[in-house]
Amino acid sequence: MTATRVAAIDCGTNSIRLLIADLDPATGEIADLDRRMIINRLGQGVDSTGRLHPDALERTFAACREYAEIIAAHGVGPERIRFVATSASRDAENAAEFTEGVRGILGVVPEVVSGDEEARLSFTGATKELTGGSLKPPYLVFDLGGGSTEFVLGGDEVQAARSVDIGCVRMTERHFGGAELPTEDQIARAKADILAALDTAAETVPLTEAATLVGLAGTVTTVAGIVLGLPEYDSAKIHHARLDVEQVRATATRLLHSTHAERTAIPVMHPGRADVIAAGALVLLEIMERTGAAEVVVSEHDILDGIAWSIAR
């Protein structure tokens, strides 16, 4: 079968990402032509105001204009573009303004997917290449985003999925505010909030029954880069790295007690992630402790790859 060229866009709370790839559904192979990310912080203030901030919308539209040029250069038509919008635009009162802006730039309507659909797309992207390998099912995949975290358990197919409102941006805004160094009391309140959300997730998704825990998205990959001591971000070395719980605990503790300047100076740190990475690392640690997993497998393939596969189908 001839490969299908697609353009997938994932617009989350903290970042907007583009993947242009050639996919072969017959072999399950995906060949990246362009994969990039822009920190747009669409979720700025959404947790407190319920609305998308004008500055956040303009940052997002600027990213869309840049992506439109790249998509056109690769010859991908609108029928092979899928734009998936997640937590921030799902929660906002003025989501229609976002939708119309994106349609005017890219010619496609952004799909504000449910948390369950978001989880299924993430699961497909993360596990498609694991089938038949050394990592055994069932897999518990979690996608730790800016506004929410999706949990999905499955093997050949999804068995259970749940989205809960814990993410690096939401936890930072809700509990740490503008504090550069969160206090122990702030950290304790954030931890209690995370644990309550994990209890909610466990009502739908068994969190302790997986053979393999797989972690997705920028917080997880950044923590992996820190644990590995990489001199710069290297997706090839981060993809399928295995982090044990003690490594994650040490890294989370370090980040929670580092200044913004110290976090920014970490070689693998994206500048747009430095102010929210501490809260994200705390969420990651609490997930590992709640599931009882000795290690987490880090995947660079996530919801963006799942969106791409959904187009090819």
Side-chain angles (χ1 to χ4, degrees), residues 24 32 35 68 73 81 109 120 136 140 142 156 163 200 209 212 232 241 248 254 262 269 281 286 289 298 302 310:
D24 188 340
D32 290 9
R35 187 188 290 258
I81 302 172
V109 175
R120 286 175 172 81
K136 302 302 181 186
L140 177 61
F142 66 94
D156 293 334
S163 177
T200 299
E209 296 181 7
T212 303
E232 60 184 10
V248 172
R254 170 188 172 185
E262 289 168 338
M269 186 72 63
E286 295 307 319
E289 293 191 337
V298 180
D302 52 25
S310 73

Side-chain angles (χ1 to χ4, degrees), residues 253-275:
T253 301
R254 170 188 172 185
L255 292 169
L256 286 163
H257 296 89
S258 297
T259 65
H260 186 272
E262 289 168 338
R263 294 192 298 269
T264 303
I266 297 172
V268 298
M269 186 72 63
H270 190 290
R273 200 174 295 283
D275 61 331

Side-chain angles (χ1 to χ4, degrees), residues 1 4-6 22-25 80 306-313:
M1 175 183 278
T4 300
R5 181 163 298 182
V6 302
D22 288 336
L23 286 75
D24 188 340
R80 290 293 179 185
I307 296 166
W309 282 111
S310 73
I311 304 168
R313 286 199 301 270

Side-chain angles (χ1 to χ4, degrees), residues 26-179:
T27 64
E29 294 180 356
I30 180 169
D32 290 9
L33 301 176
D34 199 312
R35 187 188 290 258
R36 63 181 66 200
M37 176 190 71
I38 295 172
I39 299 289
N40 61 328
R41 195 63 59 83
L42 181 61
Q44 175 188 345
V46 168
D47 191 55
S48 59
T49 69
R51 296 181 61 82
L52 298 170
H53 193 282
D55 292 346
L57 285 169
E58 181 47 43
R59 288 192 298 268
T60 303
F61 295 155
C64 288
R65 288 189 283 270
E66 179 179 328
Y67 287 176
E69 293 182 2
I70 298 166
I71 291 168
H74 283 283
V76 183
E79 73 283 356
R80 290 293 179 185
I81 302 172
R82 188 179 185 192
F83 188 117
V84 169
T86 55
S87 179
S89 53
R90 186 168 59 232
D91 297 342
E93 294 175 4
N94 58 335
E97 186 177 350
F98 164 76
T99 299
E100 290 304 312
V102 171
R103 180 165 57 182
I105 296 167
L106 289 164
V108 296
V109 175
E111 301 175 50
V112 184
V113 300
S114 69
D116 286 349
E117 172 65 7
E118 191 176 342
R120 286 175 172 81
L121 289 169
S122 296
F123 186 82
T124 298
T127 64
K128 195 169 184 67
E129 63 186 329
L130 299 182
T131 304
S134 60
L135 297 172
K136 302 302 181 186
Y139 310 109
L140 177 61
V141 175
F142 66 94
D143 187 342
L144 202 174
S148 62
T149 297
E150 287 66 53
F151 294 89
V152 55
L153 179 72
D156 293 334
E157 58 186 36
V158 170
Q159 297 171 13
R162 186 71 178 263
S163 177
V164 290
D165 285 341
I166 48 172
C168 59
V169 175
R170 193 184 298 269
M171 291 297 99
T172 299
E173 292 185 349
R174 183 179 292 175
H175 296 290
F176 298 167

